[in-house]
Amino acid sequence: MTGEIMKPPALIALTEGGVELAVRIKAALPGATIHGYAERTDGADVPFTELAPHLQALFAERVPIIGICAAGILIRSLAGVISDKRQEAPVLAVAEDASAVVPLLGGHRGANGLARDIAQALGISPAITTAGDVRLGLALDDPPKGWRAANPEAAKAVTAALLAGEPVRLEVEAGDGAWLLNSGARFTETADHAIVLTERDLGEAEGAEGDGKTLVLNPATLALGVGCVRGAEPGELIALARETLASANLAPGAVACVVSIDLKADEAAVHAVAEDLGVPARFFDSKRLERETPRLVNPSLAVYRETGCHGVAEGAALAAAGAAAELIVAKRKTANATCAIARAEEAIDAGETGQARGRLHIVGIGPGDHAYLTAEARAALATAEEVVGYTLYLDLLGPMIEAKRRHAFPIGAEAARARAALDLAARGRVVALVSSGDAGIYALASLVFELLDAEDRPDWNRVDISITPGISAMQAAAAAAGAPLGHDFCAISLSDLLTPWAEIARRLGAAGEGDFVVALYNPASARRRHQIEAARDILLRSRGPETPVLIARNLTRKGQEVRIIPLADLGPDDADMTTLVLIGNSRTRLITRGQRRWLYTPRGYGVDREAETQLDLELGGRGA
């Protein structure tokens, strides 16, 4: 049986006091995110509006839940979805005054361990109630770091025998069994029930895993080294890894990590093997692997010419397992893949072995207010180790990134920001590169790909890149005034620093002739004053002087200003670099209803309601 990597927990806060405590706990739980009840909290990583559905969705995804609230709230919210204790995610209740932490569900699936970590951070004792933990000081189906249960279903019978004072034998074939010998459990030399500590696959070899009375625990002492040709099929490498383990009668649960050369950090097949075994994938550079040459069984000059080291699978396995490691399975290969296994003297800490594949999240954070951050953006920021961006944007994120390493840059240093983010990710870090609005609209996503295109750096090319969209300035501006983007529209930047003015003027003219609603980005700065007047004059050739223009400055931030003026009055004093100017088309209307003025562009021109209804039917409701 393979292990399961526990997902980062969600800290559920229902009050501002809960958020404050969640921040303290989060510092002790890497990767944790704070989920806040939107009506009563501010500054949470993930806001939610309905508690029970939100908790049930997290539980279904097997995300550990740490509720800073009464235990009864969590119990009532999850009661309808609790069915199989072997599949349940950890659920814990923490008192808002930090006086108690109680594992409610999944005690032996990580909840008890989380409770201990939280209690240590808060300076209290965890209220653990599971019998094995209380009386024996251990949880056999949730062994300590460096161990995995091959057949956790047998833990119940073995634990029951220990609690009843029945004889249980302990067989130590591999690993250090001190954690069992020093517990409250008592072992004998002969007994029907047993705990076996082994690297061997007893389920295959002796049937011990299936007798219900023998618990098999595997120490994480094996490093599985792999190599493959570019674009190898994941199935081929997975099959080779499984066959290599089986040939040596080694348990998959004893594998601590899948390792390879950094040239393979972006290979889907390598990551597929790691996922199949439920362990991390880690990577070494060729210089580190070349140092293992004297210990290789199958050094290869051809491999050296290709990679800069004499062996990938064997070298990586030995590098991960340490200086005293033994290569217990020499290189095995198929047409497109290689595999080898090394054994360490003690459990391998995968987090301290080689480096992970770097990840770069390019994140749009919206116009500024945290309410405009998408859930995906919050999740990307929560998982990031390093955050790169313009100083103002990092300041806007505030407490959300206070535990991260910040890399702040002045305005105008866009290329330096993108380069720094790529460099950090290439070193195996998880990086968030932030832009205001949407990262793909006049922002840094495009610049990242420009750098990748221009420089073709192998270390950058191996970075796992994702783009997280954000709410753009033109969307936020339109929402503040009504619905001016109800029909066809376009966006044009007036900055001629990167685009010749002649090209900008041509596009303005075409937008005017096409009768598009026009969103003007970068409308004016301290040094650029004439462009907005020129844009006004070009658009006045094709639309009337009373055409409504939306001026939106400092959207969602302190000092927000939203005004509507006639096109003829638009000038450089109306805009700066924090302003979005949105110019209506010939059909855009300004109406007053109650105490509000609303700006909108009809979604159809001269279309009667019957035709609109028919259109909606054809679209299947997608148009609305």
Side-chain angles (χ1 to χ4, degrees):
M1 177 179 174
T2 61
E4 179 182 354
I5 299 174
M6 188 168 68
K7 296 180 179 180
L11 291 153
I12 310 300
L14 305 183
T15 65
E16 279 300 320
V19 171
E20 292 174 8
L21 180 56
V23 170
R24 291 175 59 192
I25 296 172
K26 180 179 177 179
L29 303 177
T33 53
I34 300 175
H35 297 230
Y37 183 46
E39 291 186 12
R40 298 178 187 167
T41 65
D42 252 337
D45 300 323
V46 180
F48 62 87
T49 55
E50 296 183 74
L51 178 61
H54 188 69
L55 291 177
Q56 290 169 12
L58 292 171
F59 192 76
E61 292 295 322
R62 299 169 84 172
V63 175
I65 295 170
I66 302 169
I68 303 175
C69 59
I73 294 175
L74 299 174
I75 293 168
R76 287 190 293 272
S77 296
L78 295 171
V81 295
I82 299 170
S83 57
D84 184 354
K85 69 174 290 184
R86 293 171 299 178
Q87 300 298 321
E88 66 193 15
V91 179
L92 301 87
V94 180
E96 192 171 317
D97 64 357
S99 62
V101 52
V102 185
L104 300 176
L105 295 173
H108 290 171
R109 296 187 63 80
N112 288 349
L114 284 171
R116 293 187 182 96
D117 291 342
I118 294 169
Q120 183 176 6
L122 300 180
I124 59 175
S125 297
I128 294 175
T129 58
T130 45
D133 294 81
V134 172
R135 292 178 53 188
L136 303 175
L138 53 82
L140 293 178
D141 56 355
D142 184 25
K145 184 178 180 181
W147 291 89
R148 299 165 80 184
N151 57 337
E153 64 278 0
K156 182 176 181 180
V158 175
T159 300
L162 287 170
L163 291 172
E166 298 175 6
V168 174
R169 73 181 187 275
L170 176 63
E171 299 179 14
V172 181
E173 295 182 3
D176 184 356
W179 63 279
L180 286 167
L181 294 170
N182 295 335
S183 70
R186 295 292 177 265
F187 299 100
T188 61
E189 294 186 1
T190 60
D192 289 337
H193 291 87
I195 300 173
V196 180
L197 310 185
T198 183
E199 293 170 341
R200 294 187 297 133
D201 189 347
L202 297 189
E204 295 271 334
E206 301 173 12
E209 291 182 21
D211 69 5
K213 297 181 179 180
T214 302
L215 175 65
V216 179
L217 299 176
N218 304 134
T221 50
L222 304 181
L224 184 76
V226 297
C228 62
V229 302
R230 177 59 64 182
E233 283 295 323
E236 181 177 348
L237 188 52
I238 290 173
L240 175 61
R242 288 283 180 176
E243 290 164 7
T244 301
L245 288 165
S247 70
N249 193 30
L250 294 171
V255 176
C257 51
V258 171
V259 287
S260 189
I261 191 169
D262 59 4
L263 298 175
K264 300 300 176 184
D266 61 340
E267 282 289 350
V270 175
H271 292 281
V273 173
E275 183 176 357
D276 180 63
L277 294 173
V279 298
R282 308 290 290 190
F283 302 91
F284 299 92
D285 62 30
S286 60
K287 291 181 179 179
R288 175 64 188 88
L289 295 188
E290 182 61 7
R291 298 209 304 266
E292 299 297 336
T293 301
R295 297 202 287 170
L296 301 182
V297 174
N298 297 289
S300 168
L301 187 58
V303 172
Y304 178 78
R305 293 193 187 106
E306 191 72 24
T307 67
C309 66
H310 281 82
V312 170
E314 291 183 355
L318 288 165
E326 175 189 3
L327 190 67
I328 57 174
V329 181
K331 181 174 70 175
R332 294 167 57 94
K333 62 182 180 178
T334 60
N336 301 297
T338 60
C339 183
I341 301 173
R343 175 191 288 125
E345 287 190 328
E346 55 188 32
I348 299 170
D349 184 349
E352 300 298 322
T353 301
Q355 72 174 39
R357 182 188 185 188
R359 285 185 287 159
L360 173 57
H361 303 293
I362 308 174
V363 183
I365 64 171
D369 191 293
H370 289 183
Y372 284 75
L373 269 173
T374 66
E376 184 182 1
R378 291 173 184 272
L381 291 169
T383 59
E385 299 164 327
E386 322 258 354
V387 184
V388 180
Y390 170 39
T391 304
L392 172 62
Y393 302 157
L394 300 187
D395 290 343
L396 288 171
L397 291 172
M400 197 172 298
I401 60 169
E402 64 183 1
K404 317 292 183 181
R405 186 177 177 190
R406 291 174 35 140
H407 303 267
F409 289 79
I411 193 168
E414 288 85 359
R417 285 180 243 164
R419 186 178 297 279
L422 283 165
D423 284 341
L424 286 165
R427 294 199 289 270
R429 307 296 289 168
V430 181
V431 184
L433 174 62
V434 301
S435 293
S436 65
D438 182 283
I441 299 177
Y442 300 118
L444 294 179
S446 177
L447 185 52
V448 166
F449 292 114
E450 284 185 49
L451 290 173
L452 290 172
D453 187 23
E455 302 193 22
D456 195 21
R457 288 223 336 231
D459 57 339
W460 286 358
N461 296 342
R462 293 190 291 269
V463 171
D464 182 13
I465 298 176
S466 65
I467 317 297
T468 300
I471 296 173
S472 69
M474 64 181 174
Q475 289 175 292
L485 302 180
H487 209 283
D488 296 338
F489 61 89
C490 67
I492 297 174
S493 171
L494 294 189
S495 173
D496 56 2
L497 295 176
L498 299 176
T499 306
W501 175 252
E503 182 66 17
I504 296 172
R506 186 181 70 81
R507 292 173 180 174
L508 286 165
E513 289 299 321
D515 201 27
F516 287 95
V517 173
V518 181
L520 297 180
Y521 279 75
N522 308 314
S525 69
R527 291 183 295 177
R528 290 187 300 102
R529 310 298 292 165
H530 75 279
Q531 287 91 340
I532 192 167
E533 294 178 307
R536 174 200 65 202
D537 294 341
I538 291 170
L539 291 172
L540 280 171
R541 299 172 193 164
S542 56
R543 58 196 68 177
E546 296 302 316
T547 299
V549 176
L550 172 62
I551 308 291
R553 178 185 276 114
N554 290 323
L555 281 163
T556 79
R557 308 175 196 171
K558 184 178 181 180
Q560 173 176 301
E561 179 185 7
V562 177
R563 297 185 296 122
I564 300 172
I565 64 172
L567 177 58
D569 293 349
L570 180 63
D573 292 338
D574 292 307
D576 57 22
M577 290 296 286
T578 69
T579 304
L580 189 288
V581 177
L582 201 152
I583 301 171
N585 69 5
S586 64
R587 307 296 182 109
T588 302
R589 297 189 60 192
L590 179 62
I591 63 173
T592 301
R593 293 295 182 270
Q595 299 296 311
R596 286 291 306 271
R597 293 201 304 166
W598 296 105
L599 191 65
Y600 81 98
T601 303
R603 66 191 293 256
Y605 298 159
V607 179
D608 60 27
R609 295 300 177 201
E610 184 177 343
E612 279 197 349
T613 301
Q614 183 59 37
L615 176 62
D616 282 345
L617 290 173
E618 291 177 3
L619 292 173
R622 295 191 303 276

